[in-house]
Amino acid sequence: MRNSLAVLAAVSLTAGARLAAQTPLATYADAFETRAGAATPAISYDVRVDTARSRLSIVMHVERAPATVRIAIPRWAPGAYRLVDFAARLRAVTVVTSAGERRVADSALAGKPVWPAPDAPALAVPGGVLEVRYDVVGDSSPNNRAFLRSSGALLDGPGTYLYLPGQTLAPARVHFDVPPTWRIVTGLRPTFDPASFFAPSYDVLIDSPVLMGDARSLAVRQLDVEGVPHRVAWWRRPGAPAFDTAAFVAPIPPIVEQVKRIFGWIPYRDYSFLFIDGTGGGLEHLNSTTIGISAAAVARDPLAHVDVTAHEYFHHWNVKRIRPIALGPFDYQRATRTRSLWLSEGVTDYFAGAIVRRAGLVTDSAARDALASSIESYLGNPASSVLAPERSSFTAWDTPVVNHGYSLSYYLSGGLLGEILDVRLRARNEASGGMDALMRRLRDRYAGPRGFTDADIRREASAVCGCDMSSFFASYVAGAKTLPLDDFAAALGWRLVVERAPATDSGGNALPDRRAGIIPYGGAGSAGGAMGGPLKLAVGDPASAWGRAGLTTGDTLIAVNGEPVATASGFRALLASLAIGDSVTVLVRRGGERSFVVHVAGYDRTRVRLDEVPSPSAAQLRARDRWMHGESGRGRPPVREDTTAAP
């Protein structure tokens, strides 16, 4: 695979442009990467990858430790917006000080992952030298968070590194002991030793995942984009299907270029795209991203990753630097809530679509169809007239029970808000810059230590618009009024057509109403119950057959037709077996045990399309061209339409 990664198109700039791409300094002190004093602890980690036991064996060494300390592992996972019991994977935790060895039972850190507990005396560290040895159990299932297999591994910072509460600004060094054929790719600062790296703080350390693997499984391509080094690394399972690797990597430079056009410069010294042949999804980091996508999907379409890649890459500005005031600095032991995930995540989805369009990575018709599909998903969800985007954001880690069973993705509502806002912000002046200008204003004013508030978003949007946006935000962001999608479509010369029709399969056969599910496990304190705990129903539409029967989200599922249901997969299999005309008896616990009869019928589904308006105006055509190609219009030719007739 290493030899099959072919020549890639990358951008080379003049020396002057290279200098312009670097991060500018605001103060003299910014020129120093490490701001450590004489009393700052010196912390290092030795991480040995033990593939035979599927474990990480780690030694944390601290010099100049405070006189008393506590040892902790995070519960909060930045970027994932959830609490996770990382301590459950710890084994053989041993603390060594000059006073001798002291072992910590695994259960002492599980659930309350700070030792000694806050209500107990802290650990004395005579001489200021402390050593903590521990193992982390690996996950063999490849995904975009963490895994460990014989051919490679992905290390997730919060689940890997213990820390000293109150000392997260101390710099750290980490050395990896890996099999001799493995290579390492990470956003951490390299050193002369290719297996050793540096982080200016614990916050940076755990925000820098590490992908590693042998030469057959892990391919790495170095790119020069806008004068800044970028790496694209791809780990594949043994025996995974081959794909066009040049076509897979080729869209990345245009994505980087488009984001740089929005903000004017690149805020990092290097960036790593880390792709894993495994469970889908992505997670942003300060100067890297981890993205899960199967080799089979890429073999079918080498551009299958561009939407998630554009989304996660845009996060290096939106969230990592332009962040709500609540999202940093983190207390890694507590959940953090914000009402602004509609902007941090949803508007990032908006920009992901815009970046892909502007980079010419999607056809005009496919982009319009994708927009219609998003509108269809939004209008087809009864929560669209019940849940405000700010409410969806604030309750991200709660079960739908807190919203009376309704659930609406802040990705979806926020993405559509981004589309609508871009038009609204240009209503008085097409050249205002729209959403691009709003993000630049948020960066310029709030990308420092403070972060932004909800009021700051409204104020800066009004500044871009040259009008008062308060009523818009009150109705559609803080309020639950259905988004004004007709006006948005009309501004681009389209007519929004919304129809209700019976739900059918590809053959035109009516589909049975299976609109029920299980609230997924999302980590303690986030959506879903405890892993391995009782199953809880999710009934998102009260008008569904399940809602009409009297079932509600949060009901604890006991049995269906007298048969106990113990797993989510078992419930999904049962749903798949249902046909129109069936009746099922569902036993749940809601206070006491209660039984409901669901009569399975067909149901109607919302269908949406965007039709061309007769004789669109010049302003509408300009707006549509700008939507598809950006401020410069057709500066980059679109992807060629496939007009080949089907055989």
Side-chain angles (χ1 to χ4, degrees), residues 162-241:
L162 298 180
Y163 70 102
L164 305 182
Q167 299 295 333
T168 55
L169 294 181
R173 298 183 182 273
V174 56
H175 174 81
F176 299 105
D177 181 0
V178 300
T181 60
W182 283 23
R183 66 182 73 179
I184 300 169
V185 185
T186 177
L188 292 169
R189 299 275 61 78
T191 67
F192 283 115
D193 179 356
S196 296
F197 299 86
F198 171 79
S201 70
Y202 180 81
D203 303 279
V204 173
L205 176 67
I206 68 167
D207 200 25
S208 303
V210 183
L211 181 62
M212 51 184 68
D214 60 41
R216 293 174 301 173
S217 300
L218 181 62
V220 184
R221 175 60 62 204
Q222 304 282 347
L223 300 176
D224 170 15
V225 187
E226 297 285 354
V228 178
H230 293 72
R231 289 180 294 274
V232 181
W234 172 262
W235 179 87
R236 292 197 309 174
R237 305 170 193 246

Side-chain angles (χ1 to χ4, degrees), residues 285-305:
H285 299 281
L286 191 64
N287 68 332
S288 65
T289 179
T290 53
I291 296 173
I293 186 167
S294 71
V298 179
R300 291 189 298 270
D301 177 10
L303 301 184
H305 66 93

Side-chain angles (χ1 to χ4, degrees), residues 193-395:
D193 179 356
S196 296
F197 299 86
F198 171 79
S201 70
Y202 180 81
D203 303 279
V204 173
L205 176 67
I206 68 167
D207 200 25
S208 303
V210 183
L211 181 62
M212 51 184 68
D214 60 41
R216 293 174 301 173
S217 300
L218 181 62
V220 184
R221 175 60 62 204
Q222 304 282 347
L223 300 176
D224 170 15
V225 187
E226 297 285 354
V228 178
H230 293 72
R231 289 180 294 274
V232 181
W234 172 262
W235 179 87
R236 292 197 309 174
R237 305 170 193 246
F243 56 86
D244 186 340
T245 51
F248 171 77
V249 180
I252 291 177
I255 288 172
V256 175
E257 294 167 25
Q258 290 300 326
V259 177
K260 193 253 183 178
R261 286 187 182 185
I262 294 170
F263 289 103
W265 55 280
I266 292 175
Y268 49 76
R269 289 170 300 182
D270 57 71
Y271 193 93
S272 298
F273 294 89
L274 309 178
F275 293 93
I276 296 91
D277 177 12
T279 306
L283 190 64
E284 71 276 4
H285 299 281
L286 191 64
N287 68 332
S288 65
T289 179
T290 53
I291 296 173
I293 186 167
S294 71
V298 179
R300 291 189 298 270
D301 177 10
L303 301 184
H305 66 93
V306 295
D307 290 318
V308 66
T309 298
H311 176 102
E312 300 304 336
Y313 179 70
F314 191 80
H315 269 318
H316 81 259
W317 276 116
N318 195 23
V319 168
K320 302 314 296 184
R321 291 168 176 85
I322 307 169
R323 60 173 178 79
I325 198 168
L327 295 185
F330 291 113
D331 177 346
Y332 293 110
Q333 299 302 318
R334 295 191 299 174
T336 301
R337 293 181 184 266
T338 171
R339 291 182 172 84
S340 300
L341 292 183
W342 68 268
L343 185 135
S344 295
E345 292 290 349
V347 167
T348 296
D349 248 9
Y350 155 74
F351 274 105
I355 291 161
V356 169
R357 295 192 299 267
R358 297 173 190 180
L361 300 173
V362 65
T363 64
D364 289 36
S365 60
R368 183 175 66 179
D369 289 347
L371 175 60
S373 179
S374 293
I375 295 173
E376 185 174 285
S377 296
Y378 173 79
L379 293 178
N381 187 336
S384 60
S385 60
V386 176
L387 274 184
E390 284 190 354
R391 176 68 180 174
S392 294
S393 299
F394 192 75
T395 58

